[in-house]
Amino acid sequence: MNTNRQLIEQFLQFINTGDAAIGKPIISDDVIFYAPTSPEPMKGFEGYMGVLAMMRGAMPDIKWKIEETISEGDKILVRYTMTGTQTQPLKRP
């Protein structure tokens, strides 16, 4: 398995469990996330934890599943499905 695919598998495990110890090593401090519930972009690992908290707060049973990956060089494309039961509105992290 190539490194990109291994990182995607680790990322999937992170978002499906919300385990910060899994996600911290793979989320860059420089990454920026835009969410419709936040007027300002969220940054770095803490920003992504906010996105996950928002998603899990609205859909406690949320799960992501990889359907397909395409990898070339240092790039990877991932097609996934997300399922969950929305029990609360999406709220700002």
Side-chain angles (χ1 to χ4, degrees):
M1 185 183 306
N2 74 26
T3 301
N4 288 337
R5 177 63 190 219
Q6 289 169 331
L7 286 172
I8 289 299
E9 292 286 346
Q10 186 178 356
F11 180 73
L12 186 72
Q13 184 181 8
F14 162 55
I15 61 175
N16 278 329
T17 64
D19 184 343
I22 297 170
K24 186 105 173 117
I26 60 173
I27 303 293
S28 170
D29 291 336
D30 298 330
V31 73
I32 298 172
F33 300 98
Y34 296 91
T37 58
S38 178
E40 297 296 322
M42 295 174 282
K43 298 177 183 173
F45 179 72
E46 292 306 318
Y48 200 79
M49 289 302 288
V51 171
L52 279 182
M54 174 193 65
M55 300 291 283
R56 292 182 175 287
M59 297 171 271
D61 62 345
I62 195 168
K63 288 289 177 200
W64 288 264
K65 177 184 173 196
I66 293 174
E67 300 293 343
E68 177 181 20
T69 60
I70 300 171
S71 182
E72 184 175 309
D74 65 350
K75 295 178 176 71
I76 188 165
L77 170 114
V78 180
R79 182 175 63 87
Y80 65 90
T81 55
M82 179 189 77
T83 58
T85 308
Q86 187 166 355
T87 59
Q88 300 291 320
L90 291 169
K91 296 180 181 176
R92 280 188 186 172

